[in-house]
Amino acid sequence: MHSPCDRVLPESMDAESERVLAARVLGGDPRAVSRAISLIEEGVPEGARLVRELFSHTGRAWVVGVTGPPGVGKSTLVDRVAKVFRSGGRRVGIVAVDPTSPFSGGAVLGDRIRMQTHAGDDGVFIRSMATRGRLGGLAQAAREATLVLDAAGHDVVFLETVGVGQAEVDITYAADIAVVMVAPGFGDDVQAIKAGILEIADVFVVNKADHSGAEGTVAQLEAMLSLDEPSHEHWRPPIVKTQATTGDGVNDFVGALDRFREYAGDDLRYQRRYRLEVSELRRLLGEAFLRHVEQLVSPSELDKVTAQLARRELDPYTAVDTIMNRVLAERDADRKP
Ligand code: GDP
């Protein structure tokens, strides 16, 4: 018996099995969703082909990014909010991303423990992801995992990320709404989130409202937002106090999400998706171009150029021009009758 969070190691698939898997994902089968996400995490071509099949079925889910330091209460709060959405009949997907830790069995265990909170409810799908030695690939894998959950009919997808650095900002770009969570007593709680995160927050949550100091954290956030007034001309991110363990404030949080959703409408949502697709398209083009170059220029030739660079016999711009000229010459040769 497989539970939805069993990770089935990807093995080579034929075209027919790929089509069957895509159809099962579209039918909302949790085991198929799990398998699909594994393929994406592994970065194998089957994963890319699956995204190709599923993409036209995506765009319906509301993707909620939740970021904050470890231990702030993200998973406790998201699990609670998931229950609220479930009681309204909506299907919920949760992707928990940890760019700071390597992938380990702990992630699988974590999924299982969290699934117990939603035991017997297959309207909630939980999956955690960590780095597998490819930090750059994690944001992409997380984004593609949300696409799979979207295609599988989840109405709301939470994208939880640990921490407050650039990697989290990149991951949050894949969200329709960005929630930043802090709690009193987290070292520099508010100071720590200044770099880059303040600009992306649509909603702030001050969790652990039962702790003394919660009011102070709210006041610090208020002060920071007033300094940054011009950039919040149209939408001033609300600051919601919660106590995730008891559920206090959870309805306020859901209310803030709903208000933002109404404010954002289709226009802002489209703008954010456009911004994401700009960087996705460039990234994929870059990767495709590099693969093309690597087919054309042998590893030993690339080594030779690299050695010349290291010995300062060649400068990097000339090196790139030389390689580009090779690619263009090849194209011209192909075009000759
Ligand atoms: P995450 O790492 O951000 O996902 O944090 P968790 O949701 O795992 O929570 C970390 C710890 O804080 C757990 O022991 C929770 O029970 C606890 N916690 C979460 N929310 C609250 C809260 O509102 N008040 C208190 N006192 N503890 C909380």
Side-chain angles (χ1 to χ4, degrees):
M1 206 23 219
H2 289 280
S3 81
C5 46
D6 270 340
R7 285 148 207 264
V8 187
L9 273 186
E11 42 196 62
S12 220
M13 296 171 78
D14 58 36
E16 180 53 23
S17 337
E18 282 176 23
R19 268 194 299 277
V20 170
L21 181 61
R24 282 174 54 207
V25 168
L26 291 174
D29 174 355
R31 283 175 61 191
V33 168
S34 183
R35 174 108 206 267
I37 296 177
S38 295
L39 291 167
I40 283 165
E41 271 187 311
E42 297 291 319
V44 291
E46 285 92 334
R49 286 197 292 268
L50 205 60
V51 171
R52 203 186 283 230
E53 287 282 318
L54 299 177
F55 197 76
S56 67
H57 302 275
T58 67
R60 282 190 29 243
W62 188 256
V63 183
V64 182
V66 179
T67 182
V72 78
K74 292 179 296 298
S75 52
T76 313
L77 183 69
V78 167
D79 287 349
R80 285 234 173 237
V81 179
K83 288 213 157 139
V84 175
F85 284 130
R86 285 300 296 138
S87 64
R90 289 190 266 185
R91 293 181 64 205
V92 179
I94 300 172
V95 180
V97 192
D98 186 353
T100 60
S101 72
F103 179 81
S104 73
V108 180
L109 187 67
D111 289 353
R112 280 174 204 245
I113 291 168
R114 285 186 76 179
M115 278 310 290
Q116 284 168 12
T117 316
H118 308 279
D121 181 2
D122 61 8
V124 178
F125 183 95
I126 298 178
R127 178 62 171 257
S128 39
M129 303 176 103
T131 42
R132 289 179 185 248
R134 304 174 303 152
L135 184 59
L138 187 61
Q140 180 205 349
R143 193 264 165 140
E144 291 183 348
T146 67
L147 291 176
V148 171
L149 288 167
D150 185 349
H154 294 85
D155 305 287
V156 184
V157 177
F158 287 95
L159 192 52
E160 279 177 41
T161 51
V162 172
V164 284
Q166 186 57 45
E168 293 76 30
V169 174
D170 289 349
I171 293 166
T172 307
Y173 262 30
D176 297 309
I177 172 167
V179 176
V180 174
M181 262 180 96
V182 289
F186 268 74
D188 288 335
D189 38 295
V190 174
Q191 297 304 321
I193 64 161
K194 270 193 172 166
I197 287 277
L198 182 64
E199 292 76 16
I200 64 154
D202 300 308
V203 172
F204 284 104
V205 170
V206 175
N207 189 41
K208 307 200 179 183
D210 49 319
H211 282 205
S212 62
E215 283 307 328
T217 306
V218 172
Q220 282 182 54
L221 278 174
E222 288 283 4
M224 221 159 67
L225 281 175
S226 336
L227 287 177
D228 207 32
E229 209 69 73
S231 63
H232 301 300
E233 197 185 338
H234 302 291
W235 172 262
R236 191 177 203 273
I239 303 169
V240 185
K241 272 196 304 181
T242 57
Q243 189 176 340
T245 37
T246 59
D248 280 4
V250 168
N251 286 335
D252 297 341
F253 176 52
V254 172
L257 295 179
D258 284 342
R259 275 200 309 285
F260 181 80
R261 187 177 176 157
E262 215 163 277
Y263 158 78
D266 288 340
D267 283 354
L268 185 58
R269 195 180 191 199
Y270 174 79
Q271 281 169 28
R272 291 202 175 170
R273 288 183 176 182
Y274 188 92
R275 180 184 67 180
L276 173 68
E277 297 307 341
V278 165
S279 63
E280 282 295 288
L281 184 62
R282 277 162 200 247
R283 186 182 56 74
L284 288 175
L285 272 173
E287 283 177 9
F289 183 72
L290 207 54
R291 271 198 305 276
H292 184 64
V293 169
E294 281 165 355
Q295 274 168 6
L296 221 60
V297 186
S298 69
S300 66
E301 278 179 274
L302 284 176
D303 280 348
K304 215 156 79 190
V305 172
T306 314
Q308 285 177 313
L309 288 166
R311 288 197 297 264
R312 302 294 187 268
E313 292 163 8
L314 188 65
D315 70 275
Y317 293 100
T318 306
V320 168
D321 282 350
T322 311
I323 293 170
M324 280 296 291
N325 286 337
R326 283 273 304 272
V327 174
L328 295 174
E330 189 81 8
R331 186 196 61 183
D332 293 345
D334 278 351
R335 280 185 179 172
K336 287 216 176 87

